Amino acid sequence: MAAPESGDGNNGAARMVTLISSDNTRFEVEAAAASLSQTLQLTILDGGGGGGDGIPLPNVDSATLSKVLEYCIKHAPAAANGGAPNATAVDRAELERFDNEFVNIDQSVLYSLIMAAHNLEIEGLQSLVAKKVADMIKGKSPMEIRRTLGFPDPTPEEQAEMNAHMLEYGWAYE
Amino acid sequence: MAADRLSDLPEDLLRRILYFAPAKEGASTAVLSRRWRFLWQTSGAVNLDSRSYDRTYGASLDNGPKHEAFLQGAMAALRAVAANGPVKRLSLHIESVNIYSISRFVFYRDDESETDHESETDTDQNLISKVMSNPAARSVEELHIAELLEDWSGASFPLLNSLLLHGCHVVFKDLQSMIHGAPHLTTVRLESINILHHWNDSASGNHGCTICGPEVTSLVLTDWSGYGLDEIDSIALDMPKLEYFRYEWFQSCQVSMKSQVWNMTQADLHFKDTMYDEDKLRVTFWHFLRNFGNTKVLKLKLDCPIDELAITDMKRLDELLDNKLLFNLERLEIEGCYNRAGNNVAGIAVANLLHCCPIVHDLWLRIKAKRREVLYNDHDIARKTKLDFDRSVENFKRLRGISGGNDDI
């Protein structure tokens, strides 16, 4: 029996901004969530992104952007860090669960995501995806790593170079 | 720019991925292609994981060749990364279900070559000490140690800013000197740890300890298994810049703040005692609360029925709180249970808590009846304990327009 939403406590609705993906889809999102991106934060602080304007993101397609925003919306309260008067307490265990579930996706999506997080400078998301990709090679042999990461089998020339390298760094290949 | 394949990513991002990869597997990516040849070496991280050796040597840790390979690999990895710049991240993960095999792995010695040495060489034989005292590790800014149920001597990391110990035994003195020797340390996570005393401290009867972290802003302190500290009765935290504090512990060990904390924004406190000498529990609890005078958000989780915290005599409550209230607290969350036959005592406890928080305007309660796994509607509790509760609610409504939390009150 939740109490009716009483807005933001202080002065009503939160500020919204519009982001436009490379394929021209418009996403309306709270400024606080979009500000997880260091790149967007500057534009937003300057008053951009409001009303009909929107911030174009020519490097991010709509599928990736919606995934990025899903992350930002979930993490925005934690990033606010009690600074706002009505900051909701953050349930860190819940965030961890969300993160684990969030990166449980196809490799190609992971790569688009880390690229977008890099372009938009979203620190937490970059680390989250990097850790996930690093986990994919854990405990694997060099050949298994090659296949997991989608590298073609080496040419004979490459193989010879590799053998030389492996002699030098034997500890990594036993 | 979309990236569907790993090879579409710029080198910075590939390095970032390798920053989290175990050293052995990371190093072996050098043969993926020419582009990858030097990527791992320039990642700035050495993550050592005993599981990297399971494929070749089997999962058991009680294994000399595995110990040797791990040690050689660790030294080679430190050397290779340090040759390309400072090692910024060092992590150690030694995994086993059997703590005795971890000990044998860490202290593995070849019996034949050791017969003419006395036990003096213990530290020299400690795998962890060897890794951590490697000169290449002096530059480490981020140290993670997981599942290390074995004493390890502290090393010094003067540039450390983030320390995570998970599921480890740690000798208090080593922990203290590690934190003390790291003036830039801002994040400390001591999760599921067991803090031990050095034997000659226990002998001298000195069972209290202080952890001093002048720059620490975030601290997590959660206890190991269920017994808290075996030998330590109290921990004083001297961390004046603390902003976030998560604490999960048994109150048989008292934790207190040695210095005034001005900037605390959130404290998550989970008290795990389920049965205790009641009055001592009460006293410890209310004393502990005094530490959070400036906190904005307080989340309380109690494993004992909240009834046990109730103080009927307001004068005594003020004494226990030393007349200090949580003057900055804006949001209070309480999760726990109450005794069904408790005659409204739970309500008194909630009222006591509200009494401490004069300006709170977000209140979230989830207090269910003990034993029965029915989650009671919070209104039931309010009804049961109407008098005390309503009086307090009235009080803070008067002080501040109530805005309603995201749950019932």
Side-chain angles (χ1 to χ4, degrees):
Chain A
M1 235 183 283
E5 279 298 322
S6 53
D8 206 16
N10 269 6
N11 36 20
R15 187 182 154 199
M16 305 297 281
V17 291
T18 304
L19 307 177
I20 307 165
S21 67
S22 61
D23 44 355
N24 266 324
T25 312
R26 300 174 75 88
F27 291 84
E28 205 188 9
V29 60
E30 279 190 19
S35 295
L36 249 62
S37 152
Q38 296 293 310
T39 323
L40 291 177
Q41 193 178 42
L42 292 175
T43 318
I44 291 168
L45 282 177
D46 280 347
D53 289 352
I55 305 171
L57 301 172
N59 291 330
V60 190
D61 62 49
S62 59
T64 310
L65 186 55
S66 83
K67 195 78 183 153
V68 168
L69 292 177
E70 186 189 337
Y71 174 91
C72 291
I73 289 164
K74 190 74 186 182
H75 280 259
N81 202 11
N86 246 359
T88 30
V90 178
D91 190 333
R92 280 163 208 254
E94 160 63 21
L95 267 187
E96 244 169 65
R97 266 195 302 278
F98 170 86
D99 283 354
N100 285 338
E101 198 51 42
F102 183 77
V103 288
N104 212 355
I105 45 179
D106 273 2
Q107 270 189 50
S108 62
V109 186
L110 280 177
Y111 302 145
S112 313
L113 209 50
I114 197 171
M115 195 67 201
H118 178 68
N119 288 331
L120 294 168
E121 296 176 79
I122 307 171
E123 196 53 38
L125 183 55
Q126 280 189 68
S127 293
L128 178 64
V129 180
K131 274 182 194 154
K132 172 70 180 180
V133 180
D135 277 348
M136 297 186 329
I137 67 169
K138 217 172 236 178
K140 294 203 163 112
S141 71
M143 208 53 193
E144 287 165 341
I145 292 175
R146 177 171 281 279
R147 296 205 174 112
T148 304
L149 299 182
F151 280 79
D153 285 348
T155 63
E157 197 191 14
E158 281 175 326
Q159 186 65 54
E161 259 183 64
M162 269 194 235
N163 291 345
H165 182 88
M166 284 162 78
L167 272 180
E168 193 184 339
Y169 293 88
W171 60 273
Y173 302 99
E174 57 185 19
Chain B
M1 196 194 318
D4 293 331
R5 294 178 312 148
L6 191 61
S7 47
D8 294 335
L9 300 178
E11 290 188 1
D12 273 358
L13 279 182
L14 297 178
R15 269 190 208 98
R16 206 175 164 120
I17 291 168
L18 289 171
Y19 187 76
F20 297 109
K24 188 170 181 286
E25 292 87 324
S28 78
T29 61
V31 296
L32 285 173
S33 75
R34 280 191 191 146
R35 189 178 177 219
W36 283 72
R37 188 69 33 96
F38 297 104
L39 279 177
W40 172 76
Q41 297 189 25
T42 51
S43 69
V46 175
N47 303 307
L48 304 170
D49 194 324
S50 65
R51 291 168 295 183
S52 299
Y53 298 86
D54 289 0
R55 212 168 32 81
T56 316
Y57 298 98
S60 165
L61 286 177
D62 200 1
N63 181 328
K66 190 172 178 177
H67 167 96
E68 204 44 43
F70 184 93
L71 181 60
Q72 293 311 320
M75 294 306 166
L78 281 165
R79 212 179 312 121
V81 174
N84 289 282
V87 179
K88 293 198 167 170
R89 173 183 158 107
L90 175 64
S91 76
L92 277 158
H93 185 113
I94 295 185
E95 177 142 317
S96 170
V97 282
N98 176 352
I99 62 171
Y100 300 106
S101 75
I102 292 183
S103 170
R104 283 195 292 270
F105 183 70
V106 170
F107 288 101
Y108 190 85
R109 55 173 83 196
D110 190 346
D111 283 338
E112 283 164 38
S113 66
E114 283 302 324
T115 40
D116 48 351
H117 288 97
E118 287 307 316
S119 58
E120 195 59 35
T121 55
D122 254 15
T123 338
D124 307 336
Q125 287 305 313
N126 184 329
L127 179 69
I128 309 307
S129 303
K130 278 184 190 166
V131 170
M132 297 213 299
S133 58
N134 187 304
R138 289 274 297 174
S139 58
V140 163
E141 294 172 15
E142 195 183 336
L143 179 70
H144 289 195
I145 302 180
E147 314 298 334
L148 192 58
L149 297 171
E150 184 50 64
D151 299 357
W152 42 276
S153 355
S156 168
F157 302 99
L159 300 179
L160 201 64
N161 64 44
S162 168
L163 171 67
L164 165 63
L165 302 181
H166 183 98
C168 298
H169 283 321
V170 56
V171 175
F172 175 72
K173 265 195 168 156
D174 294 337
L175 179 67
Q176 194 180 33
S177 70
M178 187 188 274
I179 292 178
H180 199 81
H184 310 294
L185 193 62
T186 55
T187 305
V188 179
R189 283 165 63 194
L190 308 173
E191 300 176 344
S192 310
I193 60 156
N194 187 19
I195 301 181
L196 309 166
H197 247 305
H198 194 263
W199 58 271
N200 60 31
D201 285 339
S202 322
S204 68
N206 173 15
H207 290 181
C209 48
T210 302
I211 302 179
C212 176
E215 296 297 322
V216 173
T217 54
S218 171
L219 174 70
V220 174
L221 190 60
T222 69
D223 85 321
W224 129 276
S225 69
Y227 296 99
L229 301 162
D230 290 343
E231 303 150 41
I232 291 176
D233 318 317
S234 66
I235 300 181
L237 301 169
D238 191 357
M239 299 183 171
K241 294 197 179 164
L242 209 56
E243 289 169 18
Y244 174 74
F245 182 37
R246 183 155 75 83
Y247 169 87
E248 237 173 74
W249 217 280
F250 288 80
Q251 283 176 260
S252 44
C253 168
Q254 287 195 43
V255 173
S256 60
M257 303 288 170
K258 204 174 173 188
S259 44
Q260 180 70 267
V261 179
W262 294 105
N263 298 318
M264 180 98 76
T265 40
Q266 184 173 339
D268 296 354
L269 313 176
H270 180 178
F271 299 98
K272 292 165 86 173
D273 305 80
T274 47
M275 265 171 39
Y276 206 65
D277 163 2
E278 278 188 32
D279 202 54
K280 193 178 169 201
L281 180 76
R282 260 200 292 273
V283 171
T284 323
F285 176 84
W286 293 105
H287 277 172
F288 190 59
L289 225 52
R290 295 195 299 219
N291 294 316
F292 301 94
N294 294 306
T295 309
K296 292 196 178 101
V297 177
L298 179 64
K299 293 171 78 170
L300 282 178
K301 192 172 171 191
L302 303 159
D303 287 356
C304 71
I306 192 168
D307 310 50
E308 297 191 17
L309 302 177
I311 307 275
T312 38
D313 178 359
M314 290 304 274
K315 236 174 108 185
R316 176 148 191 251
L317 181 62
D318 286 335
E319 269 168 32
L320 288 173
L321 289 166
D322 195 19
N323 290 312
K324 287 177 184 143
L325 300 180
L326 284 71
F327 274 115
N328 287 319
L329 198 75
E330 291 162 2
R331 181 177 172 89
L332 174 65
E333 295 189 8
I334 307 171
E335 187 178 345
C337 60
Y338 69 95
N339 278 325
R340 286 171 61 79
N343 291 325
N344 301 350
V345 179
I348 297 173
V350 175
N352 289 157
L353 280 164
L354 291 177
H355 168 78
C356 301
C357 319
I359 69 153
V360 73
H361 50 63
D362 273 341
L363 179 64
W364 183 94
L365 298 176
R366 178 185 279 175
I367 304 176
K368 56 188 178 182
K370 203 185 168 194
R371 280 172 198 282
R372 272 178 57 177
E373 286 306 305
V374 179
L375 206 153
Y376 268 74
N377 185 314
D378 294 322
H379 283 300
D380 284 357
I381 300 164
R383 208 178 307 123
K384 271 170 168 295
T385 59
K386 208 163 179 28
L387 271 179
D388 295 308
F389 191 80
D390 282 1
R391 202 178 301 133
S392 313
V393 169
E394 272 313 310
N395 274 339
F396 87 78
K397 264 184 175 172
R398 252 203 311 278
L399 282 161
R400 184 106 179 190
I402 185 164
S403 66
N406 57 10
D407 213 325
D408 317 342
I409 39 172

